[in-house]
Coordinates of all heavy atoms in Angstrom, one line a residue:
S679 N 1.0 -11.2 -9.1 CA 0.1 -11.0 -8.0 C 0.2 -9.5 -7.6 O 1.2 -8.9 -7.4 CB 0.6 -11.8 -6.8 OG -0.2 -11.7 -5.7
I680 N -1.0 -8.9 -7.5 CA -1.1 -7.4 -7.3 C -1.8 -7.1 -6.0 O -2.8 -7.6 -5.7 CB -1.9 -6.8 -8.5 CG1 -1.2 -7.1 -9.8 CG2 -2.0 -5.3 -8.3 CD1 -2.0 -6.7 -11.0
L681 N -1.1 -6.2 -5.2 CA -1.7 -5.6 -4.0 C -2.3 -4.3 -4.4 O -1.6 -3.4 -4.9 CB -0.6 -5.5 -3.0 CG -1.0 -4.7 -1.7 CD1 -2.1 -5.5 -0.9 CD2 0.2 -4.5 -0.8
H682 N -3.6 -4.1 -4.1 CA -4.3 -2.9 -4.5 C -4.4 -2.0 -3.2 O -4.9 -2.5 -2.2 CB -5.7 -3.2 -5.0 CG -5.7 -4.0 -6.3 ND1 -5.6 -3.4 -7.5 CD2 -5.7 -5.3 -6.5 CE1 -5.6 -4.3 -8.4 NE2 -5.7 -5.5 -7.8
L683 N -3.9 -0.8 -3.3 CA -4.0 0.2 -2.2 C -4.5 1.5 -2.7 O -4.2 2.0 -3.8 CB -2.6 0.4 -1.6 CG -2.0 -0.8 -1.0 CD1 -0.6 -0.5 -0.5 CD2 -2.8 -1.3 0.2
I684 N -5.3 2.2 -1.9 CA -5.9 3.5 -2.1 C -5.1 4.5 -1.3 O -4.9 4.3 -0.1 CB -7.4 3.6 -1.8 CG1 -8.2 2.5 -2.5 CG2 -7.9 5.0 -2.1 CD1 -8.2 2.6 -4.0
L685 N -4.7 5.6 -1.9 CA -4.0 6.6 -1.1 C -4.6 8.0 -1.3 O -5.3 8.3 -2.3 CB -2.5 6.7 -1.7 CG -1.6 5.6 -1.5 CD1 -0.3 5.8 -2.1 CD2 -1.4 5.3 0.0
C686 N -4.4 8.9 -0.4 CA -4.7 10.3 -0.5 C -3.7 11.0 -1.4 O -2.7 10.4 -1.8 CB -4.7 11.0 0.9 SG -6.0 10.3 2.0
R687 N -4.0 12.2 -1.8 CA -3.2 13.0 -2.8 C -1.7 13.1 -2.4 O -0.9 12.8 -3.2 CB -3.8 14.3 -3.0 CG -3.1 15.1 -4.0 CD -3.7 16.5 -4.2 NE -5.0 16.3 -4.8 CZ -5.9 17.2 -4.9 NH1 -5.7 18.4 -4.6 NH2 -7.1 16.9 -5.4
Q688 N -1.4 13.5 -1.2 CA 0.0 13.8 -0.8 C 0.8 12.6 -0.8 O 1.9 12.6 -1.4 CB 0.0 14.6 0.5 CG 1.4 15.1 0.8 CD 1.9 16.1 -0.3 OE1 1.2 17.0 -0.7 NE2 3.1 15.9 -0.8
P689 N 0.4 11.5 -0.2 CA 1.3 10.3 -0.2 C 1.4 9.7 -1.6 O 2.5 9.3 -2.0 CB 0.5 9.3 0.7 CG -0.3 10.1 1.6 CD -0.7 11.3 0.8
F690 N 0.4 9.8 -2.4 CA 0.4 9.4 -3.8 C 1.5 10.2 -4.6 O 2.3 9.7 -5.3 CB -0.9 9.5 -4.5 CG -1.0 9.0 -5.9 CD1 -1.3 7.6 -6.1 CD2 -0.7 9.8 -7.0 CE1 -1.4 7.1 -7.4 CE2 -0.8 9.2 -8.3 CZ -1.1 7.9 -8.5
A691 N 1.5 11.5 -4.4 CA 2.4 12.4 -5.1 C 3.8 12.2 -4.6 O 4.8 12.2 -5.4 CB 2.0 13.9 -4.8
D692 N 4.0 11.9 -3.3 CA 5.4 11.6 -2.8 C 5.9 10.3 -3.4 O 7.1 10.3 -3.7 CB 5.3 11.5 -1.3 CG 5.0 12.8 -0.6 OD1 5.2 13.9 -1.2 OD2 4.6 12.8 0.6
I693 N 5.1 9.3 -3.6 CA 5.6 8.1 -4.2 C 5.9 8.3 -5.6 O 6.9 7.8 -6.2 CB 4.6 6.9 -4.0 CG1 4.5 6.5 -2.5 CG2 4.9 5.7 -4.9 CD1 3.3 5.6 -2.2
A694 N 5.1 9.1 -6.3 CA 5.3 9.4 -7.7 C 6.6 10.1 -7.9 O 7.3 9.9 -8.9 CB 4.1 10.2 -8.3
R695 N 6.9 11.1 -7.0 CA 8.2 11.8 -7.1 C 9.4 11.0 -6.7 O 10.5 11.4 -7.0 CB 8.1 13.0 -6.2 CG 7.6 14.3 -6.8 CD 7.8 15.5 -5.9 NE 7.5 15.2 -4.6 CZ 6.4 15.6 -4.0 NH1 5.6 16.4 -4.6 NH2 6.1 15.3 -2.7
G696 N 9.2 9.9 -6.0 CA 10.3 9.1 -5.5 C 10.8 9.4 -4.2 O 11.8 8.9 -3.8
T697 N 10.1 10.3 -3.5 CA 10.6 10.7 -2.1 C 10.1 9.8 -1.0 O 10.6 9.8 0.1 CB 10.2 12.2 -1.8 OG1 8.8 12.3 -1.9 CG2 10.9 13.1 -2.8
K698 N 9.1 9.0 -1.3 CA 8.5 8.1 -0.3 C 8.8 6.7 -0.8 O 8.3 6.3 -1.9 CB 7.0 8.3 -0.2 CG 6.4 7.4 0.9 CD 5.0 7.8 1.2 CE 4.5 6.9 2.3 NZ 3.1 7.1 2.6
R699 N 9.6 5.9 -0.1 CA 10.0 4.6 -0.5 C 9.4 3.5 0.3 O 9.6 2.3 0.1 CB 11.5 4.5 -0.4 CG 12.3 5.5 -1.2 CD 11.9 5.6 -2.7 NE 12.2 4.4 -3.4 CZ 11.8 4.0 -4.5 NH1 11.0 4.8 -5.2 NH2 12.1 2.9 -5.1
I700 N 8.6 3.9 1.4 CA 8.0 2.9 2.3 C 6.6 3.3 2.5 O 6.3 4.5 2.8 CB 8.8 2.7 3.6 CG1 10.2 2.2 3.3 CG2 8.0 1.8 4.6 CD1 11.0 2.1 4.6
E701 N 5.6 2.4 2.4 CA 4.2 2.7 2.7 C 3.9 1.9 4.0 O 4.2 0.8 4.2 CB 3.3 2.2 1.6 CG 1.8 2.4 1.9 CD 1.4 3.8 2.1 OE1 2.1 4.7 1.6 OE2 0.3 4.0 2.7
Y702 N 3.3 2.6 5.0 CA 3.0 2.1 6.3 C 1.5 1.7 6.4 O 0.7 2.4 6.0 CB 3.4 3.0 7.4 CG 4.9 3.4 7.4 CD1 5.3 4.5 6.8 CD2 5.8 2.5 8.0 CE1 6.7 4.8 6.8 CE2 7.1 2.7 8.0 CZ 7.6 3.9 7.4 OH 8.9 4.2 7.4
R703 N 1.3 0.6 7.1 CA -0.1 0.2 7.4 C -0.1 -0.3 8.9 O 0.8 -0.9 9.3 CB -0.6 -1.0 6.5 CG -0.7 -0.6 5.1 CD -1.8 0.4 4.9 NE -1.8 0.8 3.4 CZ -2.4 1.9 3.0 NH1 -2.9 2.7 3.8 NH2 -2.4 2.1 1.7
D704 N -1.2 -0.1 9.6 CA -1.4 -0.6 10.9 C -1.4 -2.1 11.0 O -1.8 -2.8 10.1 CB -2.6 0.0 11.6 CG -2.6 1.5 11.8 OD1 -1.5 2.0 12.0 OD2 -3.6 2.1 11.8
Y705 N -1.0 -2.6 12.1 CA -1.0 -4.1 12.3 C -2.4 -4.4 12.9 O -2.6 -4.5 14.1 CB 0.1 -4.5 13.3 CG 0.2 -6.0 13.6 CD1 0.7 -6.8 12.6 CD2 -0.2 -6.5 14.8 CE1 0.7 -8.2 12.8 CE2 -0.2 -7.9 15.0 CZ 0.3 -8.7 14.0 OH 0.4 -10.0 14.2
T706 N -3.3 -4.7 12.0 CA -4.7 -5.0 12.3 C -5.0 -6.3 11.7 O -4.3 -6.8 10.8 CB -5.7 -3.9 11.9 OG1 -5.6 -3.9 10.4 CG2 -5.4 -2.6 12.5
L707 N -6.1 -6.9 12.1 CA -6.6 -8.2 11.5 C -6.8 -8.0 10.0 O -6.4 -8.9 9.2 CB -7.9 -8.7 12.1 CG -8.5 -9.9 11.6 CD1 -7.5 -11.1 11.7 CD2 -9.8 -10.2 12.2
Y708 N -7.4 -6.9 9.6 CA -7.6 -6.6 8.1 C -6.3 -6.7 7.3 O -6.2 -7.4 6.3 CB -8.3 -5.3 8.0 CG -8.4 -4.9 6.5 CD1 -9.5 -5.4 5.8 CD2 -7.6 -4.0 5.9 CE1 -9.7 -5.1 4.4 CE2 -7.7 -3.6 4.6 CZ -8.8 -4.2 3.8 OH -9.0 -3.9 2.5
W709 N -5.2 -6.0 7.8 CA -4.0 -5.9 7.1 C -3.2 -7.2 7.2 O -2.4 -7.6 6.4 CB -3.2 -4.7 7.5 CG -3.8 -3.5 6.9 CD1 -4.4 -2.5 7.7 CD2 -3.9 -3.1 5.6 NE1 -4.9 -1.5 6.8 CE2 -4.6 -1.9 5.5 CE3 -3.5 -3.7 4.4 CZ2 -4.9 -1.3 4.3 CZ3 -3.8 -3.1 3.2 CH2 -4.5 -1.9 3.2
R710 N -3.3 -7.9 8.4 CA -2.7 -9.2 8.5 C -3.2 -10.2 7.5 O -2.3 -10.9 6.9 CB -3.0 -9.8 9.9 CG -1.9 -9.6 10.9 CD -2.0 -10.4 12.1 NE -3.3 -10.7 12.6 CZ -3.9 -10.0 13.7 NH1 -3.2 -9.1 14.3 NH2 -5.1 -10.3 14.0
T711 N -4.5 -10.2 7.2 CA -5.0 -11.2 6.3 C -4.6 -10.8 4.8 O -4.4 -11.7 4.0 CB -6.5 -11.3 6.4 OG1 -7.1 -10.0 6.2 CG2 -6.9 -11.9 7.7
R712 N -4.4 -9.5 4.6 CA -4.0 -9.1 3.2 C -2.5 -9.2 3.0 O -2.1 -9.3 1.8 CB -4.5 -7.7 3.0 CG -6.0 -7.6 2.8 CD -6.4 -6.3 2.3 NE -6.1 -6.1 0.9 CZ -6.1 -4.9 0.3 NH1 -6.5 -3.8 1.0 NH2 -5.8 -4.7 -0.9
L713 N -1.7 -9.1 4.0 CA -0.3 -9.0 3.8 C 0.5 -10.2 4.2 O 1.4 -10.6 3.5 CB 0.3 -7.8 4.5 CG -0.3 -6.4 4.1 CD1 0.2 -5.3 5.0 CD2 0.1 -6.1 2.6
E714 N 0.3 -10.8 5.3 CA 1.1 -11.9 5.8 C 0.8 -13.2 5.1 O -0.3 -13.5 4.8 CB 0.8 -12.1 7.3 CG 1.5 -11.1 8.2 CD 1.4 -11.4 9.7 OE1 1.0 -12.5 10.0 OE2 1.8 -10.5 10.4
G715 N 1.9 -13.9 4.8 CA 1.8 -15.2 4.1 C 1.4 -15.1 2.6 O 1.1 -16.1 2.0
R716 N 1.5 -13.9 2.0 CA 1.2 -13.7 0.6 C 2.5 -13.2 -0.1 O 3.3 -12.5 0.5 CB 0.1 -12.8 0.4 CG -1.2 -13.3 1.0 CD -2.4 -12.4 0.6 NE -3.6 -13.0 1.1 CZ -4.8 -12.6 0.6 NH1 -4.9 -11.8 -0.4 NH2 -5.9 -13.1 1.1
K717 N 2.6 -13.4 -1.3 CA 3.7 -12.9 -2.1 C 3.1 -12.0 -3.2 O 2.3 -12.5 -4.0 CB 4.5 -14.0 -2.7 CG 5.6 -13.5 -3.6 CD 6.6 -14.6 -3.9 CE 7.7 -14.2 -4.8 NZ 7.8 -12.8 -5.3
Y718 N 3.5 -10.8 -3.2 CA 3.1 -9.8 -4.3 C 4.2 -9.5 -5.2 O 5.4 -9.4 -4.7 CB 2.5 -8.6 -3.6 CG 1.2 -8.8 -2.8 CD1 1.2 -8.8 -1.4 CD2 0.0 -9.0 -3.5 CE1 0.1 -9.0 -0.7 CE2 -1.1 -9.2 -2.8 CZ -1.1 -9.2 -1.4 OH -2.3 -9.4 -0.7
D719 N 3.9 -9.2 -6.4 CA 4.9 -8.7 -7.4 C 4.8 -7.2 -7.6 O 5.8 -6.5 -7.8 CB 4.7 -9.4 -8.7 CG 4.9 -10.9 -8.6 OD1 5.9 -11.4 -8.0 OD2 4.0 -11.6 -9.1
V720 N 3.6 -6.7 -7.6 CA 3.3 -5.3 -7.9 C 2.3 -4.7 -6.9 O 1.4 -5.4 -6.5 CB 2.8 -5.2 -9.4 CG1 2.4 -3.8 -9.7 CG2 3.7 -5.8 -10.3
I721 N 2.4 -3.4 -6.7 CA 1.4 -2.7 -5.9 C 0.7 -1.7 -6.8 O 1.4 -1.0 -7.5 CB 2.1 -1.9 -4.7 CG1 2.9 -2.8 -3.8 CG2 1.0 -1.2 -3.9 CD1 3.7 -2.1 -2.8
H722 N -0.6 -1.8 -6.8 CA -1.4 -0.9 -7.7 C -1.9 0.2 -6.8 O -2.8 -0.1 -5.9 CB -2.5 -1.7 -8.4 CG -3.4 -0.8 -9.1 ND1 -4.8 -1.0 -9.1 CD2 -3.2 0.2 -9.9 CE1 -5.4 -0.1 -9.9 NE2 -4.4 0.7 -10.4
F723 N -1.4 1.4 -6.9 CA -1.9 2.5 -6.1 C -2.9 3.4 -6.9 O -2.7 3.6 -8.1 CB -0.7 3.5 -5.8 CG 0.2 2.9 -4.8 CD1 1.5 2.5 -5.1 CD2 -0.1 2.8 -3.4 CE1 2.4 2.0 -4.2 CE2 0.8 2.3 -2.5 CZ 2.0 2.0 -2.9
R724 N -4.0 3.8 -6.2 CA -5.0 4.7 -6.8 C -5.1 5.9 -5.9 O -5.1 5.8 -4.7 CB -6.4 4.0 -6.9 CG -6.5 3.0 -8.0 CD -7.9 2.5 -8.0 NE -8.9 3.5 -8.3 CZ -9.3 3.9 -9.5 NH1 -8.8 3.3 -10.6 NH2 -10.2 4.8 -9.6
N725 N -5.2 7.0 -6.5 CA -5.4 8.3 -5.8 C -6.9 8.5 -5.6 O -7.5 9.2 -6.4 CB -4.7 9.4 -6.5 CG -4.8 10.7 -5.7 OD1 -5.1 10.7 -4.6 ND2 -4.4 11.8 -6.4

């Protein structure tokens, strides 16, 4: 199960370097439906 997320250049680079270990998202209806009650194995990031 894959969670697809789009990132800007700097956060993408920070994750690639290993300095960013947590990605934050606002608690909105959109993110609630995509995140709560689901189980993901992998996150697919695109810059």
Side-chain angles (χ1 to χ4, degrees):
S679 180
I680 301 172
L681 172 62
H682 298 273
L683 296 176
I684 305 295
L685 294 176
C686 295
R687 182 178 296 170
Q688 191 59 48
F690 186 89
D692 292 342
I693 292 170
R695 269 193 312 255
T697 57
K698 183 173 182 180
R699 306 305 297 164
I700 297 175
E701 176 63 22
Y702 298 99
R703 297 292 181 201
D704 290 333
Y705 182 72
T706 62
L707 178 60
Y708 176 78
W709 289 111
R710 258 194 326 259
T711 57
R712 286 191 72 194
L713 297 173
E714 285 188 7
R716 296 187 180 202
K717 180 168 178 357
Y718 293 105
D719 299 312
V720 176
I721 304 170
H722 175 222
F723 288 108
R724 285 183 60 91
N725 183 12

